[in-house]
Amino acid sequence: MELFTHGEPIADTKAPDGPIETRWQRRRFGAKLVNPANRRKLTVIVVGTGLAGGSAAATLGELGYRVKSYCYQDSPRRAHSIAAQGGINAAKNYRNDGDSIQRLFYDTVKGGDFRSRESNVRRLAEVSVEIIDQAVAQGVPFAREYGGLLDTRSFGGAQVQRTFYARGQTGQQLLLGAYQALERQIGLGRVEMYSRHEMLELIVVDGRARGIVVRDLVSGEITTEYADAVVLASGGYGNVFYLSTNAKGCNVTATWRAHRKGALFANPCYTQIHPTCIPVSGDHQSKLTLMSESLRNDGRVWVPQRAGDDRPPREIPEDERDYFLERMYPSFGNLVPRDIASRAAKGVCDSGRGVGATGLGVYLDFADAIGRLGRSTIADRYGNLFEMYQRITGEDPYEVPMRIYPAVHYTMGGLWVDYDLESTIPGLFVIGEANFSDHGANRLGASALMQGLADGYFVLPSTIADYLSAGPFEPLTDDHPEVAAARNDVADRLARLLACNGDRTVDSFHRELGQIMWDHCGMERSDTGLRKALAEIRSLREQFWQRVRVPGDGEGLNQALEKAGRVADFFELAELMCVDALHRTESAGGHFRAESQTPDGEAQRDDDRFSYVAAWEFTGADRPPVLHKEDLDFEYVHPTQRSYK
């Protein structure tokens, strides 16, 4: 069977032409508005309550729309955004160190290895300065200097200090700010909140997104919910690898169901491997733990110079250590972007110089910083992270270096959207990590929180009005053919999963799938490995539908049934990821093809052949997908060989 077929090119027709500095301003002015009285007649469904979804639902409610918000967690504040640690970027230039909107724009395009849209990234840089003001007004407790001014620190891929933070819990504090705003709208009756509900299908009527099919995870009841527009803010798909830093519930089902209904899926092979995670300790693990990139401000990354040196780290003299990031990238040192730091760590471990029982680890050492700044200062900056590390490993990072190793953390791919954040299905808007729009082939640290809040607080509320100005659309009922078909599809799928009655657990299939993906579509990919992965995934998917065992029934709480549906979608996604990685024979950012590297082992792009967004159309689970290309044009940041040396 052929891997894929070619379709018509796709283009973003919403971004204005002309000077990039005024495009967002001109788009907002050119968009149609909805007057306040008419907003009360319009309903918007928001799926997900993380930073993107929570801020979007709160803002749309504040504007006067009727909002229905859905999450599978028991509370909207349990969304995985709460786990973000290090900080949020903004071009405030409080340090007077040369930062600007233009520099943040440049750093983000370069950090994404020139595989993102200039218009979207420029808008993100502009809106970043407004996010900080919004969060401070909400009472988010950002770290402050002695004099009371907001403090900032450095993150990878930048030579300025533009990252605002709240110790090692920035995501939690920002999410609580959005949650407070959301709860206010719930109290006012403008937002209806449905927790413990999972979206299992998108309802498309007359070519428009008009609602969703959801399952109450406590009672098992399946219902149809209608709206004039649907917003997906359901996060990324890193859990396709089984072991990742994502919460165990994170999944691709909401976006994959939309993809199956006609929404194009863009750049699925662009996945981010985070360099500072606690290493795998054994087969018993079901997830991994992130150690914030902010630690690389003061921690120094090193391994022994001699392969097989298993002495305790404090017994290895300074002249027998290799601070390999500082040696390889003297301009940026330990603060190179994540994809580069991860590959460098993998390289030294592959050469036999890794540390720890498995040899898959490098040291992150704070001895110099503690000696220079004092233990109390380091505790003020990273105290909760140090405590987390000690609880997990039993080692005190104030006394001995941390051990870290790369792990799956974020996904740059997602549903294709235009400048208005609207997918290829009219009325379906996609925000935050669920879309592909801002980060290209590699996201810079502290930019996920920036994008989520930019989309939710500032971009979507402006652009969705242009679509809703044509509403309200015709009312729907449960007996409408498209509605009934969507609901029946969900019921049939759940029944099929329950009927398998096989001999293997859902987790056993998920773990095996994750190992295939990590081995062949992880930090390094090759033609041979990806073709092997495709064959193994297809064989394992066939086994899944024959041998999976889902105990219980669908009439109440059944977490095995929840996981089975999510893993079934991961199987289909995994195939598309491998096809996308196989077709893109260049290396770019987090997508590293062994056949495409520079003489010194860096990613080698092929701009003549691959300077485009790969947007994939679903044609069936056993049929080849269709590739639609969106050409990328660079007028303001011209592609060069990315260098951080």
Side-chain angles (χ1 to χ4, degrees):
M1 184 179 75
E2 59 184 338
L3 288 176
F4 64 93
T5 60
H6 289 274
E8 293 297 314
I10 190 171
D12 174 16
T13 60
K14 300 288 181 61
D17 295 326
I20 198 168
E21 296 83 2
T22 60
R23 285 180 189 173
W24 176 226
Q25 176 186 344
R26 286 183 284 120
R27 177 56 190 144
R28 281 189 295 177
F29 182 74
K32 297 176 182 177
L33 300 177
V34 180
N35 80 55
N38 286 341
R39 292 175 200 156
R40 294 192 293 271
K41 305 173 186 177
L42 296 163
T43 302
V44 180
I45 285 174
V46 181
V47 180
T49 57
L51 286 179
S55 60
T59 307
L60 293 171
E62 186 79 44
L63 287 169
Y65 295 104
R66 293 181 300 183
V67 181
K68 296 180 179 180
S69 177
Y70 295 85
C71 69
Y72 63 78
Q73 296 93 346
D74 55 5
S75 165
R77 66 178 180 180
R78 294 290 296 275
H80 189 57
S81 297
I82 204 166
Q85 297 171 354
I88 178 171
N89 288 330
K92 285 287 197 180
N93 194 32
Y94 284 169
R95 292 276 186 172
N96 196 28
D97 55 0
D99 200 11
S100 63
I101 289 172
Q102 177 64 22
R103 188 173 295 280
L104 176 53
F105 165 50
Y106 172 83
D107 286 347
T108 305
V109 173
K110 177 185 175 184
D113 218 352
F114 306 95
R115 290 294 176 262
S116 55
R117 287 193 197 129
E118 284 191 327
S119 294
N120 291 60
V121 178
R122 172 71 195 201
R123 176 177 64 190
L124 179 64
E126 291 176 29
V127 172
S128 71
V129 299
E130 301 174 38
I131 297 170
I132 303 303
D133 297 338
Q134 169 85 2
V136 170
Q138 290 175 330
V140 173
F142 285 124
R144 294 179 180 268
E145 296 176 327
Y146 180 77
L149 299 178
L150 293 178
D151 196 13
T152 55
R153 57 190 178 196
S154 298
F155 253 64
Q159 292 179 306
V160 295
Q161 290 182 276
R162 64 163 67 101
T163 304
F164 295 78
Y165 65 98
R167 295 186 77 189
Q169 51 186 238
T170 313
Q172 177 180 353
Q173 300 303 329
L174 288 169
L175 184 61
L176 290 175
Y179 171 71
Q180 290 171 171
L182 176 61
E183 286 295 317
R184 178 173 179 269
Q185 296 306 313
I186 293 171
L188 292 171
R190 297 172 183 164
V191 176
E192 297 177 24
M193 185 69 235
Y194 298 90
S195 58
R196 302 297 284 151
H197 282 70
E198 182 171 24
M199 171 187 163
L200 295 180
E201 191 57 273
L202 179 71
I203 297 173
V204 180
V205 177
D206 297 330
R208 297 178 185 268
R210 292 300 314 278
I212 59 176
V213 180
V214 297
R215 179 174 181 267
D216 184 322
L217 299 181
V218 177
S219 71
E221 182 184 9
I222 298 171
T223 57
T224 49
E225 308 293 340
Y226 309 119
D228 296 291
V230 176
V231 179
L232 296 186
S234 51
Y237 48 89
N239 273 352
V240 69
F241 291 89
Y242 186 72
L243 287 178
S244 81
T245 65
N246 292 178
K248 285 300 292 177
C250 293
N251 63 84
V252 75
T253 290
T255 50
W256 194 254
R257 295 290 108 192
H259 176 54
R260 289 176 65 102
K261 281 295 183 75
L264 300 187
F265 206 113
N267 300 335
C269 77
Y270 288 163
T271 55
Q272 179 163 90
I273 313 295
H274 198 296
T276 52
C277 303
I278 298 178
V280 176
S281 60
D283 292 339
H284 62 282
Q285 282 184 268
S286 60
K287 77 175 301 294
L288 298 175
T289 303
L290 173 71
M291 287 286 103
S292 170
E293 180 169 316
S294 62
L295 295 170
R296 289 195 277 146
N297 273 274
D298 292 306
R300 300 180 70 192
V301 181
W302 65 275
V303 292
Q305 288 189 355
R306 178 172 56 83
D309 190 339
D310 59 359
R311 288 177 292 175
R314 288 290 176 254
E315 295 181 11
I316 300 177
E318 192 74 14
D319 61 358
E320 295 182 29
R321 301 179 179 185
D322 179 13
Y323 294 92
F324 58 93
L325 292 179
E326 298 173 23
R327 170 176 57 80
M328 297 167 67
Y329 307 101
S331 292
F332 283 74
N334 294 297
L335 286 172
V336 292
R338 293 173 176 178
D339 59 322
I340 290 175
S342 293
R343 284 196 294 272
K346 180 180 183 296
V348 296
C349 291
D350 289 349
S351 70
R353 294 190 290 151
V355 302
T358 65
L360 297 178
V362 299
Y363 289 127
L364 181 61
D365 196 337
F366 293 87
D368 287 355
I370 291 171
R372 184 177 72 254
L373 301 170
R375 176 171 172 149
S376 62
T377 299
I378 298 302
D380 287 343
R381 293 178 179 177
Y382 314 114
N384 65 309
L385 298 173
F386 277 40
E387 180 183 357
M388 185 190 311
Y389 181 88
Q390 185 169 12
R391 287 186 177 185
I392 292 171
T393 66
E395 300 172 2
D396 183 357
Y398 293 105
E399 302 297 332
V400 296
M402 288 183 177
R403 289 176 293 107
I404 57 170
Y405 192 70
V408 175
H409 177 60
Y410 187 89
T411 52
M412 286 73 68
L415 292 185
W416 185 94
V417 293
D418 60 20
Y419 193 65
D420 283 0
L421 304 182
E422 188 174 17
S423 73
T424 48
I425 300 176
L428 177 66
F429 292 79
V430 190
I431 60 177
E433 191 179 354
N435 74 30
F436 88 103
S437 66
D438 291 347
H439 305 297
N442 176 66
R443 177 177 68 78
L444 291 183
S447 289
L449 308 188
M450 175 173 64
Q451 185 210 348
L453 293 180
D455 288 355
Y457 281 136
F458 299 105
V459 179
L460 178 77
S462 296
T463 60
I464 199 172
D466 188 69
Y467 175 80
L468 290 173
S469 63
F473 303 106
E474 65 166 312
L476 296 176
T477 59
D478 287 358
D479 58 0
H480 188 286
E482 296 295 334
V483 174
R487 183 169 177 152
N488 290 337
D489 285 346
V490 169
D492 292 346
R493 192 162 183 264
L494 294 175
R496 185 183 173 195
L497 287 166
L498 289 165
C500 287
N501 199 30
D503 59 354
R504 288 187 58 177
T505 65
V506 176
D507 278 348
S508 73
F509 279 106
H510 193 182
R511 185 185 292 274
E512 189 173 345
L513 172 65
Q515 192 63 55
I516 293 169
M517 293 298 290
W518 178 251
D519 289 344
H520 303 301
C521 198
M523 270 194 284
E524 182 173 302
R525 295 101 182 251
S526 68
D527 185 277
T528 302
L530 289 166
R531 292 184 187 277
K532 180 180 180 183
L534 276 171
E536 291 180 352
I537 292 166
R538 288 166 180 163
S539 173
L540 191 62
R541 177 163 66 94
E542 186 176 340
Q543 290 184 51
F544 174 83
W545 285 105
Q546 295 172 352
R547 297 181 56 190
V548 72
R549 180 174 179 80
V550 181
D553 56 37
E555 303 305 313
L557 179 65
N558 188 338
Q559 292 184 310
L561 180 60
E562 297 169 29
K563 289 191 288 186
R566 296 166 188 169
V567 172
D569 289 331
F570 278 141
F571 272 111
E572 295 182 6
L573 167 70
E575 284 193 50
L576 184 62
M577 290 173 65
C578 291
V579 169
D580 188 36
L582 195 55
H583 109 278
R584 192 176 284 274
T585 56
E586 68 163 357
S587 292
H591 168 64
F592 188 78
R593 285 291 296 264
E595 305 92 338
S596 181
Q597 52 185 303
T598 63
D600 54 354
E602 302 291 350
Q604 180 67 62
R605 295 194 322 272
D606 185 347
D607 293 337
D608 292 337
R609 296 175 57 212
F610 292 104
S611 187
Y612 61 77
V613 175
W616 296 93
E617 177 186 352
F618 183 83
T619 59
D622 296 307
R623 299 178 59 191
V626 179
L627 171 62
H628 301 269
K629 298 179 181 179
E630 179 200 342
D631 289 332
L632 293 170
D633 297 317
F634 295 94
E635 300 178 61
Y636 297 89
V637 182
H638 299 291
T640 58
Q641 176 62 40
R642 200 170 49 139
S643 175
Y644 293 91
K645 294 181 180 296

